[in-house]
Amino acid sequence: MGGTTDPQVHTRSGQDFGQGNLGLRGMVSFFSSHRCSQICETLGLPLARTLPDDWGTQAASISMPDADQWLKQRRVDPVSSRWSFSSATLPGCRDVGIVVSAAEHHKDTLRELSLCGCGMGDRQADQLLSTLRKLPGLGYLNLASNKLADTACTAVARALQHNGDQAAVPVQLHTLDLSGNALTAAGVGVILDSLAVQLPRLRLLLVAGNAVSADVAERLSQSSGVLVVA
């Protein structure tokens, strides 16, 4: 037997609408537990898994306690040096903004981040990669089996470059897994070309399962000094 209560509103700021307005924490809590039913279908509501495109931006200011709670709900230990998500814990990579915010809170301890098979597209990858310079300890990033195209390679290149700013904190990424996406040799070349303007820290680039042959990967390895594995 079920019951209903009066509607509760959660806003970005957490202000107005009474003490029940929990702001972003309330939104995260709702979408992490809600399961659509016949009521949702009858009302013509969108499925809960299809959050707005700017959800990641909305979540950018989530507090450390709220971010840690969100991580624990997905069986990720906030203080661990290795975070791993899957299609089950991060469907459609819809909450990449929360991942970014949480990672920034734990920048001193996070060393490895895996978002393998989470349905990430170029837009979400750009949002994630743009924060690499804020994660000085991150050395391993796994974006395999997503929906990335050559546009994501441009985002990687932009993240690895310091654009002539000698005071900028260098990205420490040494291993990047882009296997099983929709990249081409041209896109991979963009990444490697970006390393020519600074001392490269990237040592291993995994691109198997893309439109990059083993012969091309070998040539790219020889010309860049980075081991490219196709």
Side-chain angles (χ1 to χ4, degrees), residues 38-63:
Q38 186 177 358
I39 296 176
C40 299
E41 296 178 3
T42 301
L43 294 175
L45 300 176
L47 295 179
R49 63 174 177 267
T50 57
L51 289 176
D53 288 340
D54 64 344
W55 172 251
T57 302
Q58 295 177 21
S61 60
I62 190 170
S63 68

Side-chain angles (χ1 to χ4, degrees), residues 83-105:
W83 292 3
S84 180
F85 297 90
S86 67
S87 59
T89 57
L90 202 68
C93 218
R94 70 184 187 192
D95 293 341
V96 66
I98 303 180
V99 176
V100 168
S101 183
E104 290 182 18
H105 285 310

Side-chain angles (χ1 to χ4, degrees), residues 2-6 39:
T4 58
T5 64
D6 59 304
I39 296 176

Side-chain angles (χ1 to χ4, degrees), residues 30-229:
F30 172 80
F31 282 109
S32 66
S33 61
H34 176 73
R35 296 295 180 271
C36 285
S37 66
Q38 186 177 358
I39 296 176
C40 299
E41 296 178 3
T42 301
L43 294 175
L45 300 176
L47 295 179
R49 63 174 177 267
T50 57
L51 289 176
D53 288 340
D54 64 344
W55 172 251
T57 302
Q58 295 177 21
S61 60
I62 190 170
S63 68
M64 186 172 183
D66 291 343
D68 287 357
Q69 178 186 9
W70 182 88
L71 289 168
K72 291 175 182 178
Q73 289 174 341
R74 283 146 187 82
R75 298 182 180 179
V76 174
D77 183 0
V79 299
S80 172
S81 62
R82 300 178 179 179
W83 292 3
S84 180
F85 297 90
S86 67
S87 59
T89 57
L90 202 68
C93 218
R94 70 184 187 192
D95 293 341
V96 66
I98 303 180
V99 176
V100 168
S101 183
E104 290 182 18
H105 285 310
H106 294 280
K107 62 183 180 181
D108 294 330
T109 56
L110 185 60
R111 299 292 180 266
E112 300 182 9
L113 176 60
S114 176
L115 295 165
C116 178
C118 292
M120 176 180 289
D122 289 347
R123 179 177 177 179
Q124 292 131 326
D126 189 20
Q127 182 182 4
L128 173 66
L129 291 163
S130 65
T131 66
L132 282 185
R133 206 166 298 284
K134 299 178 181 180
L135 306 176
L138 189 67
Y140 172 85
L141 179 60
N142 185 352
L143 301 180
S145 301
N146 281 291
K147 302 177 181 179
L148 306 182
D150 285 348
T151 303
C153 294
T154 302
V156 173
R158 190 164 53 244
L160 294 177
Q161 289 178 333
H162 55 49
N163 296 322
D165 183 2
Q166 300 299 326
V169 177
V171 174
Q172 301 296 327
L173 202 65
H174 57 72
T175 302
L176 177 60
D177 192 344
L178 296 174
S179 304
N181 283 288
L183 311 181
T184 68
V188 175
V190 169
I191 296 175
L192 299 176
D193 287 345
S194 71
L195 302 177
V197 300
Q198 63 180 28
L199 292 175
R201 287 172 171 77
L202 190 67
R203 298 302 181 194
L204 177 60
L205 180 59
L206 304 174
V207 293
N210 290 283
V212 181
S213 68
D215 291 341
V216 170
E218 184 176 358
R219 289 199 298 271
L220 290 171
S221 294
Q222 294 174 350
S223 63
S224 66
V226 177
L227 180 58
V228 181
V229 180

Side-chain angles (χ1 to χ4, degrees), residues 1-16:
M1 182 175 180
T4 58
T5 64
D6 59 304
Q8 179 58 60
V9 177
H10 300 300
T11 64
R12 295 189 190 187
S13 65
Q15 299 177 352
D16 302 321

